[in-house]
Amino acid sequence: MTDTVPYYEDFMEIKKKIWSMLDNAVKDRISPFRTPVFICGDQSDLDGRIVVLRKSDQSNNIVQYHSDIRSDKIEKLKANKNAAMLFYDKDEKIQVRLKVECIINHKNDITKESWSKTQHISRKCYLVDNGPGTESDIPTSGLKPELDNFDYTKEQSEEGYKNFTVIQCKIKSIEWLYLAAKGHRRAKFNLENNKDTWLVP
Ligand SMILES: Cc1cc2nc3c(=O)[nH]c(=O)nc-3n(C[C@H](O)[C@H](O)[C@H](O)COP(=O)(O)O)c2cc1C
């Protein structure tokens, strides 16, 4: 980068910045990039939801998050693996949109590795009797009372593994938007053919 070109007008520097924000979000609980919106579905039924970013792997162009195999989005992803992710950092004034192809991991080496790193309290999500989205006659967490109170052992939490799923999102393209008082900047990075393009914001 030369002195005259600011970082936001240099494709390489922008990509570096995006990946550093994604990498940081995996570690930093308060990073705005930690909780992107994940959107999937088909032409007549698209839906978005917040997820927690659990891994960012630039060498393979993958980001991933955890879910419950019984979630509605799993069937949607089996029918259509194409999805989108949306991130926004207000302080950085950066929006990032990813187009991805999803790989559903269940009871394999990827889930084993991620499950071993999950915290005791996070395992609670996977211990609900019925899957996310199941209708109930009463307001409910879906958990038995002892589980609601975190009154379960590590061994008992292992029961959740059968529901634990890792969604790997293979990034096809990244779209970056930077808001600047002197004029916004927008760029698209096609990771499938390595083409970088400036766009009018
Ligand atoms: C802060 C926050 C973090 C969440 N993290 C996840 C997550 O990592 N994975 C997930 O499947 N759902 C997560 N959820 C719940 C989803 O937004 C959604 O309500 C749930 O997955 C059920 O909807 P779905 O089956 O259509 O995805 C999170 C919600 C919030 C508010």
Side-chain angles (χ1 to χ4, degrees):
M1 192 173 62
T2 66
D3 287 345
T4 51
V5 179
Y7 106 85
Y8 55 85
E9 294 192 336
D10 180 316
F11 286 136
M12 285 301 290
E13 292 299 317
I14 295 166
K15 279 187 272 191
K16 236 194 253 174
K17 175 76 179 170
I18 294 168
W19 280 105
S20 84
M21 289 175 77
L22 292 171
D23 290 347
N24 179 58
V26 174
K27 295 170 264 167
D28 179 0
R29 285 170 177 275
I30 61 165
S31 159
F33 266 35
R34 188 172 172 86
T35 45
V37 179
F38 176 83
I39 302 138
C40 64
D42 61 36
Q43 282 178 335
S44 62
D45 178 24
L46 279 165
D47 211 354
R49 78 277 293 142
I50 301 282
V51 296
V52 176
L53 194 70
R54 299 289 181 179
K55 188 170 182 177
S56 134
D57 174 2
Q58 185 177 5
S59 55
N60 293 303
N61 291 330
I62 283 177
V63 290
Q64 66 189 46
Y65 69 90
H66 301 162
S67 195
D68 188 307
I69 194 70
R70 299 165 294 176
S71 151
D72 289 347
K73 63 184 163 302
I74 304 295
E75 284 311 310
K76 289 179 181 167
L77 288 173
K78 281 184 186 165
N80 176 15
K81 64 186 174 184
N82 296 297
M85 292 178 87
L86 177 62
F87 303 74
Y88 178 54
D89 187 317
K90 187 169 181 285
D91 294 334
E92 293 276 8
K93 302 189 187 78
I94 291 174
Q95 169 183 268
V96 167
R97 299 153 90 180
L98 305 181
K99 286 193 181 160
V100 302
E101 258 183 21
C102 298
I103 303 156
I104 301 163
N105 293 279
H106 187 226
K107 294 184 180 169
N108 65 14
D109 287 346
I110 307 261
T111 49
K112 247 183 242 161
E113 192 200 332
S114 298
W115 180 252
S116 69
K117 292 181 196 156
T118 57
Q119 291 186 322
H120 187 72
I121 55 163
S122 319
R123 292 186 171 192
K124 188 166 124 165
C125 310
Y126 305 99
L127 295 169
V128 284
D129 291 326
N130 299 305
T134 306
E135 290 190 7
S136 164
D137 292 338
I138 50 162
T140 182
S141 70
L143 290 160
K144 294 185 181 75
E146 64 271 26
L147 297 174
D148 252 340
N149 297 329
F150 295 107
D151 189 11
Y152 55 91
T153 63
K154 179 110 194 292
E155 285 65 40
Q156 286 166 323
S157 76
E158 290 298 336
E159 185 65 18
Y161 180 66
K162 65 176 190 298
N163 301 321
F164 181 70
T165 308
V166 176
I167 311 290
Q168 286 180 303
C169 305
K170 175 90 182 166
I171 304 171
K172 295 189 292 182
S173 68
I174 303 176
E175 210 189 280
W176 164 92
L177 173 71
Y178 175 58
L179 305 176
K182 285 185 185 166
H184 308 329
R185 295 289 186 277
R186 181 174 167 196
K188 182 160 184 168
F189 306 104
N190 184 327
L191 304 191
E192 292 180 314
N193 63 9
N194 283 322
K195 194 165 177 275
D196 302 336
T197 317
W198 295 114
L199 301 171
V200 174

